[in-house]
Amino acid sequence: MTRHIIGLLLGTEDDWPTAFEEILRRLGPVDGHSFDCERITIEPFSLRDQPRYRMVIDRLAYWYYHPREWLKKVALMDGVYLLNSPFTFQSMEKHAAYCAMMRLGLKVPETVLVPYKNPLDNSRYAYTSSRYNQPFDLDAIAAKIGYPLFMKPYDGGAWRGVSKINNADELHAAYDASGEMLMHLQKAIDYDVFARSLSIGAETMVMKFQPDLPMHERYAVEHDFLSADAGMEALTIGKLVNAFFRWEFNSCETLVKGGEVYPIDYANACPDVALTSLHYYFPWAMKALVKWCVFALATDRQAKLDLETDRFFAVADEPGMSYGERLGEYRKLADAYFETERYQDFCATHLARLDQLVLDWVAGPDFDQLLIRTVQSVYPVHEHDKFIAHLRGLLHLWVRDESARLETA
Ligand SMILES: Nc1ncnc2c1ncn2[C@@H]1O[C@H](COP(=O)(O)OP(=O)(O)OP(=O)(O)O)[C@@H](O)[C@H]1O
Ligand SMILES: [Mg+2]
């Protein structure tokens, strides 16, 4: 029996780690491999220390430097498998992701990066900017993009600094307020449907997203909200982004208008997988995470640090290909990177019991306790009953649908 330890690098969350640990424990050994899970603590480390972990799921390093540098060390020196690697997430934030997907011919809305509004706190900046910063006409840039547009940080997250701009007055107010944040101006897409996909390894779930509603209502439980073509396109874009950057745990936002699919945000180093926001989709996400980790460890999948972008650029540069044909080629590259077929075979052969196991767990008292504890830690006391009932309703719905699915399977 080969023993693997999966390390979890966590922030404030306790819901999905508990679910992940519990499902892994109930699953037990798989094909001669056993899996344990530990929550990683932060402490001094020698750069030559041997890590205990073969794999790390990271939710923290985007914000904290010490664990980020530890991740780089274990990636470079010890070949530890990371979801996700800081080598790409630190250097390839939103801005780089926009560039890459434009380079591949995707329908990224027109986007312009403008210089900082306020000088940086650096004694040499005044000299450099007076000598080299070109004056520019913000109104002319906005007019060329066209209103409405979005102003948002080049590396954003959690709506920090995002504003919708309808006219020149709002433009100047927002730019003045941006201070030392580096900003994109991006054409607003007037969309019919917002499709947000969550990818974990070889699996992707495309969900209908309602950004204007409170967090717990943003993901709608709706199954056929996209045409078959648009659904396939949203799915392919999500997989493509992740295969391109070697991100294995990420969410991708696309706006769908008519038959067109516009990607607007697809660098989410720590995608939201909270029980309170994913609700109905939470069991799917936890299963996908367990399956991917088990697959990667049991098949000794190797982590790669280099991106080999040429393979994708060759498709982008192939003359005479239609957009749809290009997407088809990208899809093949993405499926090859994620070993989709091998993954599916592995799951069918070695993880067939997982569906029933997770169904039993979600339908049982232990999961209900987790649900209650999660609500208690997220919402104020006077809202506990309401949110417990709300979440239970959605999870009962999942249990009903999943039972029916397993019966017909
Ligand atoms: N080009 C656009 N057209 C239409 N709506 C947009 C556009 N860009 C951003 N938005 C809206 O603004 C929201 C936040 O923008 P964005 O996703 O880029 O920022 P964020 O900080 O990453 O937010 P989040 O953490 O929710 O992903 C989007 O969910 C969408 O509703
Ligand atoms: Mg976003």
Side-chain angles (χ1 to χ4, degrees):
M1 187 78 70
T2 313
R3 179 169 178 247
H4 307 274
I5 306 179
I6 302 170
L8 304 182
L9 201 44
L10 301 172
T12 54
E13 71 263 71
D14 202 48
D15 53 349
W16 78 263
T18 303
F20 181 79
E21 289 158 349
E22 184 62 21
I23 295 171
L24 208 58
R25 192 184 66 74
R26 291 184 180 218
L27 179 65
V30 176
D31 193 27
H33 298 262
S34 73
F35 305 91
D36 288 317
C37 197
E38 285 179 9
R39 300 189 182 197
I40 299 173
T41 52
I42 297 167
E43 47 201 292
F45 61 89
S46 158
L47 277 59
R48 291 199 176 85
D49 282 350
Q50 286 284 322
R52 295 168 54 70
Y53 317 100
R54 276 295 304 135
M55 170 183 266
V56 173
I57 304 175
D58 165 46
R59 306 277 304 167
L60 191 62
Y62 195 66
W63 293 281
Y64 292 104
Y65 290 178
H66 185 280
R68 182 194 288 176
E69 297 313 309
W70 178 78
L71 281 179
K72 289 188 200 161
K73 168 248 178 310
V74 301
L76 270 176
M77 294 192 59
D78 313 298
V80 173
Y81 199 98
L82 303 178
L83 276 68
N84 295 294
S85 168
F87 282 109
T88 58
F89 254 115
Q90 209 180 330
S91 56
M92 310 283 181
E93 24 26 41
K94 273 186 180 173
H95 176 78
Y98 285 146
C99 299
M101 292 306 116
M102 282 185 194
R103 172 74 173 85
L104 298 188
L106 298 197
K107 296 165 185 165
V108 180
E110 186 57 24
T111 307
V112 175
L113 186 68
V114 291
Y116 290 110
K117 168 67 189 175
N118 291 346
L120 293 177
D121 188 13
N122 175 330
S123 57
R124 297 194 184 92
Y125 185 83
Y127 173 82
T128 307
S129 64
S130 65
R131 181 148 182 204
Y132 297 112
N133 275 28
Q134 290 283 5
F136 65 95
D137 185 346
L138 188 64
D139 292 286
I141 295 170
K144 194 161 172 222
I145 295 172
Y147 292 105
L149 55 85
F150 276 82
M151 184 181 291
K152 47 186 186 175
Y154 84 107
D155 63 344
W159 288 64
R160 173 177 56 87
V162 178
S163 51
K164 186 172 186 187
I165 313 265
N166 296 296
N167 53 51
D169 288 344
E170 290 175 13
L171 175 71
H172 286 279
Y175 187 55
D176 289 347
S178 70
E180 294 183 18
M181 269 189 284
L182 189 58
M183 289 298 202
H184 280 134
L185 301 181
Q186 183 173 76
K187 182 161 185 59
I189 303 294
D190 171 27
Y191 57 89
D192 308 322
V193 193
F194 192 134
R196 184 162 177 145
S197 60
L198 178 62
S199 293
I200 300 170
E203 292 198 36
T204 298
M205 179 69 76
V206 182
M207 295 166 279
K208 181 171 174 182
F209 194 67
Q210 304 166 126
D212 303 326
L213 297 182
M215 210 58 225
H216 68 278
E217 286 176 321
R218 286 195 192 161
Y219 287 106
V221 181
E222 227 179 283
H223 299 302
D224 293 312
F225 65 98
L226 290 176
S227 69
D229 286 349
M232 185 53 79
E233 193 171 332
L235 190 79
T236 297
I237 292 172
K239 284 177 181 288
L240 164 61
V241 168
N242 294 320
F244 184 91
F245 289 108
R246 305 207 194 287
W247 294 335
E248 309 217 331
F249 191 9
N250 186 29
S251 70
C252 171
E253 299 170 37
T254 54
L255 304 178
V256 184
K257 171 78 180 170
E260 310 277 300
V261 181
Y262 301 92
I264 56 148
D265 178 22
Y266 32 88
N268 292 298
C270 294
D272 180 13
V273 285
L275 171 59
T276 46
S277 36
L278 282 188
H279 50 77
Y280 181 93
Y281 299 102
F282 184 77
W284 167 79
M286 291 302 107
K287 276 198 282 186
L289 194 57
V290 167
K291 284 192 280 185
W292 183 250
C293 293
V294 167
F295 167 74
L297 290 169
T299 61
D300 199 24
R301 187 174 154 85
Q302 297 299 308
K304 290 214 176 81
L305 290 176
D306 48 347
L307 297 183
E308 301 174 279
T309 53
D310 289 354
R311 296 167 304 140
F312 293 91
F313 293 158
V315 174
D317 296 340
E318 181 74 31
M321 242 191 225
S322 71
Y323 176 68
E325 286 164 346
R326 253 184 253 288
L327 280 189
E329 292 304 308
Y330 292 145
R331 180 64 182 268
K332 285 185 203 154
L333 287 173
D335 282 331
Y337 173 68
F338 283 109
E339 302 180 273
T340 306
E341 221 170 291
R342 186 174 179 215
Y343 167 80
Q344 283 164 351
D345 287 347
F346 180 91
C347 292
T349 311
H350 300 294
L351 298 175
R353 62 188 189 279
L354 190 69
D355 283 336
Q356 189 63 48
L357 181 154
V358 172
L359 178 59
D360 293 342
W361 176 60
V362 174
D366 288 359
F367 183 86
D368 196 53
Q369 283 303 312
L370 174 65
L371 183 153
I372 293 168
R373 277 203 314 276
T374 303
V375 168
Q376 287 169 344
S377 70
V378 173
Y379 296 103
V381 174
H382 71 275
E383 290 188 322
H384 287 177
D385 290 349
K386 177 181 115 184
F387 279 109
I388 288 170
H390 175 77
L391 270 180
R392 274 184 183 154
L394 286 159
L395 269 305
H396 284 162
L397 182 64
W398 180 80
V399 166
R400 205 196 61 194
D401 290 353
E402 180 70 357
S403 305
R405 188 181 73 85
L406 294 186
E407 261 164 44
T408 51

